[in-house]
Amino acid sequence: MEPQEALRRLIAATPGFMPEDEGMALYNLARRSRPSASEPIVEVGSYCGKSTLYLAAAAQPERATVLSIDHHKGSEENYPPFPYTDHKLVEPYSAQINTLLPFQQTIRLAGFEDTVVALVGASSTIAAAVTVTSSLLFIDGGHGALPAWIDYDGWVSSVKYGGILAIHDVFADPRDGGQVPYGLFLAALHSGEFELVLEVGSLRGLLRKNR
Ligand code: SAH
Ligand code: MG
Protein backbone atom coordinates (compact mmCIF):
# COMPACT_ATOMS: atom_id res chain seq x y z
CA MET A 1 0.00 0.00 0.00
CA GLU A 2 1.45 3.34 -1.01
CA PRO A 3 1.56 6.24 1.45
CA GLN A 4 -1.99 7.55 1.83
CA GLU A 5 -3.11 11.11 1.25
CA ALA A 6 -2.92 12.17 4.92
CA LEU A 7 0.61 10.81 5.19
CA ARG A 8 1.64 12.55 1.99
CA ARG A 9 0.37 15.84 3.40
CA LEU A 10 2.35 15.30 6.60
CA ILE A 11 5.47 14.47 4.59
CA ALA A 12 5.01 17.65 2.54
CA ALA A 13 4.67 19.71 5.75
CA THR A 14 7.74 18.17 7.42
CA PRO A 15 10.99 20.16 7.13
CA GLY A 16 13.79 18.26 5.45
CA PHE A 17 15.72 17.42 2.33
CA MET A 18 13.79 14.74 0.48
CA PRO A 19 12.04 15.60 -2.80
CA GLU A 20 8.86 13.59 -3.35
CA ASP A 21 10.13 11.57 -6.32
CA GLU A 22 13.24 10.50 -4.40
CA GLY A 23 11.15 9.78 -1.32
CA MET A 24 8.84 7.52 -3.29
CA ALA A 25 11.87 5.77 -4.80
CA LEU A 26 13.22 5.28 -1.27
CA TYR A 27 9.84 3.86 -0.22
CA ASN A 28 9.94 1.38 -3.11
CA LEU A 29 13.50 0.35 -2.27
CA ALA A 30 12.45 -0.19 1.33
CA ARG A 31 9.52 -2.38 0.25
CA ARG A 32 11.83 -4.37 -1.97
CA SER A 33 14.30 -4.95 0.88
CA ARG A 34 11.69 -6.98 2.79
CA PRO A 35 12.23 -5.46 6.21
CA SER A 36 11.18 -7.30 9.35
CA ALA A 37 11.24 -6.83 13.10
CA SER A 38 14.59 -8.62 13.36
CA GLU A 39 16.07 -7.21 10.13
CA PRO A 40 15.07 -3.55 10.39
CA ILE A 41 15.61 -0.59 8.14
CA VAL A 42 18.47 1.58 9.40
CA GLU A 43 18.53 5.28 8.60
CA VAL A 44 21.53 7.50 9.37
CA GLY A 45 20.33 11.12 9.42
CA SER A 46 16.78 11.54 10.78
CA TYR A 47 16.59 15.38 10.92
CA CYS A 48 12.83 16.08 11.35
CA GLY A 49 11.68 12.70 10.06
CA LYS A 50 10.80 13.49 6.46
CA SER A 51 12.67 10.56 4.89
CA THR A 52 11.82 8.44 7.94
CA LEU A 53 8.14 8.67 7.02
CA TYR A 54 8.76 7.06 3.62
CA LEU A 55 10.78 4.29 5.25
CA ALA A 56 8.20 3.75 7.99
CA ALA A 57 5.37 3.61 5.44
CA ALA A 58 7.23 0.69 3.85
CA ALA A 59 8.00 -1.00 7.17
CA GLN A 60 4.63 -0.74 8.89
CA PRO A 61 2.65 -3.31 6.84
CA GLU A 62 5.43 -5.85 7.55
CA ARG A 63 5.42 -4.98 11.27
CA ALA A 64 9.05 -4.16 10.67
CA THR A 65 11.11 -1.54 12.49
CA VAL A 66 12.99 1.55 11.36
CA LEU A 67 16.02 2.48 13.47
CA SER A 68 16.69 6.14 12.79
CA ILE A 69 20.02 7.52 13.97
CA ASP A 70 20.85 11.17 14.61
CA HIS A 71 22.45 13.22 17.37
CA HIS A 72 19.80 15.81 16.42
CA LYS A 73 22.34 18.64 16.59
CA GLY A 74 22.42 19.26 12.84
CA SER A 75 25.30 18.78 10.44
CA GLU A 76 28.15 21.17 9.83
CA GLU A 77 26.31 22.18 6.65
CA ASN A 78 23.35 23.37 8.79
CA TYR A 79 25.51 26.09 10.41
CA PRO A 80 27.15 29.28 9.06
CA PRO A 81 28.99 29.91 6.80
CA PHE A 82 26.86 27.39 4.89
CA PRO A 83 23.70 29.05 3.60
CA TYR A 84 21.14 26.70 5.10
CA THR A 85 20.00 27.13 8.72
CA ASP A 86 16.34 26.73 9.62
CA HIS A 87 16.06 29.18 12.50
CA LYS A 88 12.85 27.58 13.76
CA LEU A 89 14.99 24.59 14.76
CA VAL A 90 17.55 26.56 16.78
CA GLU A 91 17.24 26.29 20.56
CA PRO A 92 16.74 29.69 22.18
CA TYR A 93 19.50 29.36 24.81
CA SER A 94 22.23 27.28 23.16
CA ALA A 95 22.13 28.60 19.57
CA GLN A 96 22.27 24.92 18.59
CA ILE A 97 19.92 23.11 16.27
CA ASN A 98 17.70 20.59 18.04
CA THR A 99 15.59 18.40 15.79
CA LEU A 100 14.66 15.76 18.36
CA LEU A 101 11.31 17.26 19.37
CA PRO A 102 10.19 17.93 15.76
CA PHE A 103 11.26 14.38 14.86
CA GLN A 104 9.20 12.90 17.69
CA GLN A 105 6.22 15.04 16.72
CA THR A 106 6.47 13.90 13.10
CA ILE A 107 6.51 10.24 14.07
CA ARG A 108 3.65 10.64 16.52
CA LEU A 109 1.46 12.56 14.06
CA ALA A 110 2.01 9.82 11.48
CA GLY A 111 1.05 7.11 13.97
CA PHE A 112 4.43 5.41 13.55
CA GLU A 113 5.56 5.33 17.18
CA ASP A 114 5.45 1.51 17.20
CA THR A 115 7.44 1.32 13.95
CA VAL A 116 10.18 3.93 14.37
CA VAL A 117 12.87 3.85 17.04
CA ALA A 118 15.03 6.95 17.42
CA LEU A 119 18.62 6.21 18.32
CA VAL A 120 19.95 9.52 19.57
CA GLY A 121 23.71 9.93 19.49
CA ALA A 122 26.72 10.09 17.23
CA SER A 123 26.50 7.58 14.41
CA SER A 124 30.00 6.22 15.14
CA THR A 125 29.25 5.68 18.85
CA ILE A 126 26.05 3.80 18.08
CA ALA A 127 27.74 1.77 15.32
CA ALA A 128 30.48 0.70 17.72
CA ALA A 129 28.00 -0.44 20.36
CA VAL A 130 25.23 -1.97 18.27
CA THR A 131 25.30 -4.95 15.91
CA VAL A 132 22.34 -5.22 13.58
CA THR A 133 21.44 -6.92 10.32
CA SER A 134 19.61 -4.35 8.21
CA SER A 135 17.27 -4.97 5.30
CA LEU A 136 17.99 -1.49 3.99
CA LEU A 137 20.62 1.00 5.11
CA PHE A 138 19.94 4.62 4.18
CA ILE A 139 22.98 6.90 4.49
CA ASP A 140 21.94 10.57 4.72
CA GLY A 141 23.88 11.92 7.72
CA GLY A 142 26.67 14.48 7.75
CA HIS A 143 28.06 15.09 4.28
CA GLY A 144 31.54 16.19 5.31
CA ALA A 145 34.29 13.69 4.43
CA LEU A 146 34.90 12.53 7.98
CA PRO A 147 31.29 11.93 9.15
CA ALA A 148 30.19 10.39 5.85
CA TRP A 149 33.05 7.88 5.71
CA ILE A 150 32.53 7.06 9.38
CA ASP A 151 28.89 6.30 8.57
CA TYR A 152 29.91 4.14 5.63
CA ASP A 153 32.56 2.21 7.56
CA GLY A 154 30.34 1.86 10.61
CA TRP A 155 27.16 0.68 8.98
CA VAL A 156 27.63 -0.74 5.49
CA SER A 157 28.43 -4.25 6.69
CA SER A 158 25.04 -4.35 8.43
CA VAL A 159 23.20 -4.78 5.11
CA LYS A 160 21.93 -8.34 4.69
CA TYR A 161 22.70 -10.32 1.54
CA GLY A 162 19.94 -9.41 -0.88
CA GLY A 163 19.39 -6.18 1.07
CA ILE A 164 19.68 -2.59 -0.10
CA LEU A 165 22.19 0.19 0.47
CA ALA A 166 20.66 3.59 -0.33
CA ILE A 167 22.79 6.72 -0.45
CA HIS A 168 21.44 10.26 -0.75
CA ASP A 169 22.96 13.42 -2.27
CA VAL A 170 25.07 11.56 -4.80
CA PHE A 171 26.30 14.04 -7.40
CA ALA A 172 28.69 12.92 -10.10
CA ASP A 173 29.17 16.52 -11.22
CA PRO A 174 30.75 18.81 -8.59
CA ARG A 175 28.67 21.71 -9.95
CA ASP A 176 25.55 19.95 -8.62
CA GLY A 177 26.79 19.34 -5.07
CA GLY A 178 29.42 17.99 -2.69
CA GLN A 179 31.38 14.94 -3.77
CA VAL A 180 31.60 12.95 -0.55
CA PRO A 181 28.38 10.88 -0.93
CA TYR A 182 29.41 10.22 -4.53
CA GLY A 183 32.69 8.81 -3.19
CA LEU A 184 30.74 6.48 -0.88
CA PHE A 185 28.61 5.37 -3.82
CA LEU A 186 31.71 4.61 -5.93
CA ALA A 187 33.31 2.69 -3.06
CA ALA A 188 30.21 0.51 -2.73
CA LEU A 189 30.07 -0.09 -6.46
CA HIS A 190 33.79 -0.87 -6.76
CA SER A 191 33.77 -3.16 -3.74
CA GLY A 192 32.09 -5.76 -5.94
CA GLU A 193 29.60 -6.39 -3.12
CA PHE A 194 26.84 -4.23 -4.57
CA GLU A 195 25.06 -3.72 -7.85
CA LEU A 196 23.28 -0.51 -8.86
CA VAL A 197 19.52 -1.00 -9.05
CA LEU A 198 18.09 2.53 -8.86
CA GLU A 199 18.96 6.13 -9.72
CA VAL A 200 16.38 8.84 -9.02
CA GLY A 201 17.60 12.40 -8.58
CA SER A 202 20.49 12.20 -6.13
CA LEU A 203 19.30 8.90 -4.63
CA ARG A 204 21.15 5.70 -5.48
CA GLY A 205 19.97 2.20 -4.57
CA LEU A 206 22.47 -0.65 -4.48
CA LEU A 207 21.56 -4.29 -4.00
CA ARG A 208 23.93 -6.33 -1.84
CA LYS A 209 24.72 -9.38 -3.94
CA ASN A 210 24.19 -12.81 -2.51
CA ARG A 211 27.34 -14.71 -1.67
N1 SAH B 1 17.15 12.35 6.02
C1 SAH B 1 16.76 13.72 6.37
C2 SAH B 1 17.89 14.72 6.27
C3 SAH B 1 19.07 14.41 7.13
S1 SAH B 1 20.11 15.84 7.34
C4 SAH B 1 15.59 14.18 5.49
O1 SAH B 1 15.20 13.45 4.58
O2 SAH B 1 15.07 15.25 5.67
C5 SAH B 1 21.51 15.12 8.11
C6 SAH B 1 21.31 14.77 9.58
O3 SAH B 1 22.47 14.04 9.98
C7 SAH B 1 21.20 15.96 10.54
O4 SAH B 1 19.97 15.90 11.22
C8 SAH B 1 22.38 15.82 11.49
O5 SAH B 1 22.09 16.10 12.85
C9 SAH B 1 22.74 14.34 11.33
N2 SAH B 1 24.15 14.05 11.60
C10 SAH B 1 25.23 14.62 11.03
N3 SAH B 1 26.37 14.07 11.48
C11 SAH B 1 26.00 13.12 12.37
C12 SAH B 1 26.71 12.19 13.20
N4 SAH B 1 28.05 12.14 13.18
N5 SAH B 1 26.01 11.36 14.00
C13 SAH B 1 24.65 11.41 14.02
N6 SAH B 1 23.91 12.25 13.26
C14 SAH B 1 24.58 13.09 12.45
MG1 MG C 1 20.06 14.17 1.94
Side-chain angles (χ1 to χ4, degrees), residues 71-90:
H71 52 36
H72 287 282
K73 296 191 287 192
S75 305
E76 53 192 75
E77 54 270 20
N78 296 130
Y79 290 92
F82 295 97
Y84 190 80
T85 310
D86 184 341
H87 292 281
K88 289 192 291 299
L89 301 175
V90 175

Side-chain angles (χ1 to χ4, degrees), residues 16-18 45-47 50-51 70-71 73-75 121-123 140-142:
F17 312 96
M18 184 52 62
S46 326
Y47 200 60
K50 196 181 189 79
S51 50
D70 203 307
H71 52 36
K73 296 191 287 192
S75 305
S123 161
D140 194 22

Side-chain angles (χ1 to χ4, degrees), residues 14-28:
T14 301
F17 312 96
M18 184 52 62
E20 193 182 3
D21 58 338
E22 297 176 32
M24 283 309 299
L26 184 63
Y27 165 84
N28 285 316

Side-chain angles (χ1 to χ4, degrees), residues 18 21-31 43 51-52 54-55 58 136 138 166 198 203:
M18 184 52 62
D21 58 338
E22 297 176 32
M24 283 309 299
L26 184 63
Y27 165 84
N28 285 316
L29 283 173
R31 297 283 293 163
E43 170 175 64
S51 50
T52 317
Y54 289 103
L55 297 170
L136 177 141
F138 178 46
L198 176 130
L203 180 71

